[in-house]
């Protein structure tokens, strides 16, 4: 029998004591009844002994018998009531010992609704939290190792080229001016690449630790993307990529951080060039609603497998795959895209099929804090 209606174990103990006392009184009454029957029988038969005299059982022996039966009955009855709880307490103690030894896999069955059930529930939650913390630590350690490996490779490669070309130009005094200028140009491009990698890594660290605060201003998103497309024209020409930019209006004004928006769409366009150059076409399409602007960057390169789409924005995603050294990069570009979109209370999605790989960025026209305050502050 379980006293499940009682949620306080102290109340249950009090109830167990009362029940045990009542049972003890009943047993005591039964013992007194049988003793009186025995006394009557011994009187009629004339039996005499140390315990039984002519007036019946001697009082001291009667008291000893009643006390003995009372104690045994109370203890036994109380133990029968509380033994399940004692076993449950031992189970909890064993589980605490297992947790202290590093076993976080097996949970404790939650029985009833008293303090011990609450303790078991809290131990299960604590065990779950510890496992999650350990998993986060493991992922953080893995991420740190990926960062070190990625930085070591991506910085060492252009740095090795820079040192090699500079050393060769320095040692070859007989180089003509055109050849020297050619290799200096190569060194310059490698140095720019090194700068880009460094900026990307530092930018990601700031975003990851929420150290980067957005400075919103009114900006024309169409003009910003057109400017970025112009800056990337050499890459488009080099890979013979045709670029189309469709937008229904002459201007789309949003409240955003211009530098972060440039990084967001720059990363998406660079990604489209790196992985979609075989398709020879990139499409940028923009649509505006009453509160949002939706920008799609489409490339027609290799289709991303469906089972990898959920991982595409994960940091160091490419470092965890069979990474192509031809495209380079730290594997942070799309992770930065997602973080910048979220900083602006927006969202970025991706889908990929035979119709193309589409990165869709949803951004609000106004930032929430701006809507409640004075919008004119940044419209001048």
């Amino acid at each position: 029998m379980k006293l499940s209606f009682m949620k306080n174990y102290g109340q249950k103990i009090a109830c167990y004591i009362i029940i045990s006392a009542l049972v003890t009184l009943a047993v005591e009454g039964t013992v007194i009844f049988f003793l009186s029957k025995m006394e009557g029988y011994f009187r009629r038969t004339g039996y005499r002994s140390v315990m039984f005299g002519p007036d019946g059982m001697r009082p001291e022996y009667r008291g000893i018998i009643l006390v003995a039966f009372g104690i045994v009955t109370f203890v036994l009855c109380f133990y029968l009531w509380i033994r399940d709880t004692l076993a449950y307490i031992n189970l909890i103690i064993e589980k605490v010992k297992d947790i202290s030894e590093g076993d976080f896999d097996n949970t404790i069955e939650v029985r009833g609704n008293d303090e011990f059930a609450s303790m078991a529930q809290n131990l299960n939650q604590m065990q779950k939290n510890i496992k999650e913390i350990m998993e986060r630590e493991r992922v953080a350690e893995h991420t740190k190792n990926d960062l070190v490996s990625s930085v070591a490779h991506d910085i060492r490669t252009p740095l090795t080229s820079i040192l090699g070309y500079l050393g060769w130009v320095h040692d070859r005094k007989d180089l003509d001016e055109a050849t020297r200028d050619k290799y200096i140009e190569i060194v310059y491009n490698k140095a720019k690449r090194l700068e880009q990698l460094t900026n990307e890594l530092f930018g990601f660290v700031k975003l990851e630790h929420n150290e980067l605060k957005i400075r919103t201003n009114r900006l024309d998103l169409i003009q910003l993307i057109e400017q970025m497309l112009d800056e990337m024209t050499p890459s488009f020409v080099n890979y013979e990529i045709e670029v189309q930019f469709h937008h229904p209006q002459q201007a789309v004004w949003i409240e955003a951080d211009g530098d972060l928006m440039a990084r967001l769409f720059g990363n998406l366009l660079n990604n489209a060039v790196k992985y979609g150059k075989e398709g020879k076409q990139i499409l940028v399409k923009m649509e505006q609603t009453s509160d949002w602007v939706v920008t799609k960057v489409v490339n027609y390169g290799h289709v991303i497998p469906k089972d990898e789409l959920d991982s595409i924005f994960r940091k160091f995603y490419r470092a965890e795959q069979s990474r192509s050294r031809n495209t380079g990069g730290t594997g942070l570009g799309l992770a930065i895209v997602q973080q910048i979109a979220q900083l602006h209370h927006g969202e970025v999605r991706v889908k990929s099929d035979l119709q193309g790989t589409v990165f869709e960025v949803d951004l609000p026209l106004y930032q929430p804090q701006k809507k409640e305050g004075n919008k004119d502050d940044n419209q001048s």
Side-chain angles (χ1 to χ4, degrees):
M1 179 179 177
K2 304 294 183 182
L3 302 178
S4 57
F5 61 91
M6 293 187 180
K7 297 183 179 181
N8 186 307
Y9 195 72
Q11 295 176 355
K12 289 184 179 181
I13 290 294
C15 187
Y16 294 159
I17 291 174
I18 293 173
I19 293 174
S20 300
L22 292 175
V23 172
T24 300
L25 290 175
V27 170
E28 295 276 73
T30 303
V31 170
I32 291 173
F33 174 77
F34 278 106
L35 288 178
S36 63
K37 289 291 185 180
M38 290 175 62
E39 288 175 345
Y41 173 77
F42 289 148
R43 283 197 192 99
R44 289 193 301 271
T45 59
Y47 175 80
R48 299 290 183 273
S49 69
V50 175
M51 291 181 61
F52 291 93
D55 297 327
M57 181 175 286
R58 301 182 188 280
E60 58 272 20
Y61 291 110
R62 182 190 298 271
I64 292 173
I65 292 174
L66 291 177
V67 168
F69 269 96
I71 291 175
V72 171
T73 302
F74 183 88
V75 171
L76 180 62
C77 183
F78 187 76
Y79 171 75
L80 291 176
W81 277 103
I82 204 171
R83 63 178 177 175
D84 287 343
T85 300
L86 295 176
Y88 194 40
I89 292 173
N90 287 330
L91 181 64
I92 293 175
I93 292 173
E94 287 298 319
K95 184 55 191 176
V96 171
K97 181 180 178 181
D98 291 341
I99 292 175
S100 69
E101 294 175 352
D103 179 8
F104 304 108
D105 295 325
N106 301 313
T107 59
I108 308 175
E109 177 188 358
V110 179
R111 303 175 186 173
N113 54 3
D114 57 16
E115 292 89 342
F116 295 109
S118 177
M119 184 185 300
Q121 190 172 9
N122 290 334
L123 277 174
N124 290 338
Q125 185 62 44
M126 181 186 72
Q127 179 176 266
K128 179 181 177 182
N129 292 341
I130 291 175
K131 286 183 68 175
E132 290 176 353
I133 291 172
M134 291 177 65
E135 179 63 20
R136 286 198 297 268
E137 290 293 330
R138 187 192 67 79
V139 171
E141 183 67 20
H142 181 64
T143 299
K144 183 185 73 175
N145 293 337
D146 283 341
L147 176 60
V148 172
S149 176
S150 179
V151 170
H153 174 271
D154 292 316
I155 291 182
R156 181 181 59 194
T157 301
L159 187 58
T160 301
S161 298
I162 290 171
L163 293 173
Y165 280 115
L166 285 178
W168 192 72
V169 170
H170 178 268
D171 294 338
R172 293 292 300 273
K173 306 297 183 182
D174 57 335
L175 288 178
D176 59 83
E177 193 68 23
T179 304
R180 187 179 299 274
D181 289 344
K182 174 186 174 182
Y183 287 114
I184 289 177
E185 179 69 20
I186 294 175
V187 169
Y188 175 77
N189 290 332
K190 295 289 184 181
K192 292 294 290 183
R193 173 63 180 157
L194 187 59
E195 180 186 39
Q196 179 186 349
L197 288 172
T198 305
N199 290 337
E200 188 173 89
L201 289 167
F202 279 119
F204 174 78
V205 170
K206 287 184 177 180
L207 286 168
E208 184 76 359
H209 296 281
N210 297 318
E211 295 176 359
L212 190 61
K213 305 301 180 182
I214 63 173
R215 296 189 176 95
T216 57
N217 289 285
R218 292 279 286 169
L219 62 89
D220 180 3
L221 193 57
I222 291 179
Q223 182 182 16
L224 182 141
I225 293 180
E226 285 179 339
Q227 180 181 343
M228 300 201 65
L229 292 174
D230 288 339
E231 292 175 358
M232 294 186 64
T233 297
S235 295
F236 301 145
V237 172
N238 183 44
Y239 293 110
E240 299 179 348
I241 298 175
E242 178 188 352
V243 180
Q244 298 181 21
F245 183 20
H246 299 317
H247 49 88
Q249 300 147 234
Q250 294 301 314
V252 173
W253 293 93
I254 67 170
E255 286 182 347
D257 186 311
D259 292 335
L260 293 181
M261 284 294 105
R263 183 179 296 178
L264 185 154
F265 288 104
N267 286 356
L268 286 181
L269 290 171
N270 279 316
N271 184 79
V273 171
K274 288 178 183 179
Y275 301 102
K277 53 181 177 288
E278 294 85 357
K280 300 300 182 183
Q281 185 178 6
I282 293 175
L283 172 63
V284 182
K285 185 177 180 181
M286 186 180 296
E287 299 174 357
Q288 179 181 350
T289 64
S290 58
D291 296 315
W292 294 81
V293 56
V294 180
T295 307
K296 298 179 182 178
V297 178
V298 187
N299 72 76
Y300 301 92
H302 295 293
V303 175
I304 302 173
K306 287 186 178 180
D307 59 348
E308 294 185 18
L309 287 176
D310 291 338
S311 304
I312 202 73
F313 295 105
R314 194 172 70 234
K315 53 195 173 186
F316 304 111
Y317 166 73
R318 293 181 60 254
E320 296 170 358
Q321 305 297 317
S322 298
R323 171 177 176 149
S324 168
R325 296 305 184 188
N326 294 327
T327 58
T330 59
L332 296 174
L334 293 178
I336 291 174
V337 166
Q338 185 179 57
Q339 288 178 321
I340 292 175
Q342 291 173 350
L343 270 178
H344 287 81
H345 306 280
E347 183 182 4
V348 58
R349 296 181 296 274
V350 62
K351 63 178 181 179
S352 186
D353 52 34
L354 295 176
Q355 303 302 316
T357 297
V358 183
F359 286 89
E360 183 174 313
V361 182
D362 296 355
L363 294 169
L365 297 181
Y366 299 98
Q367 293 301 303
Q369 65 270 23
K370 294 294 181 182
K371 274 185 134 180
E372 297 172 2
N374 184 3
K375 298 178 187 175
D376 297 331
D377 291 345
N378 292 317
Q379 294 183 12
S380 57

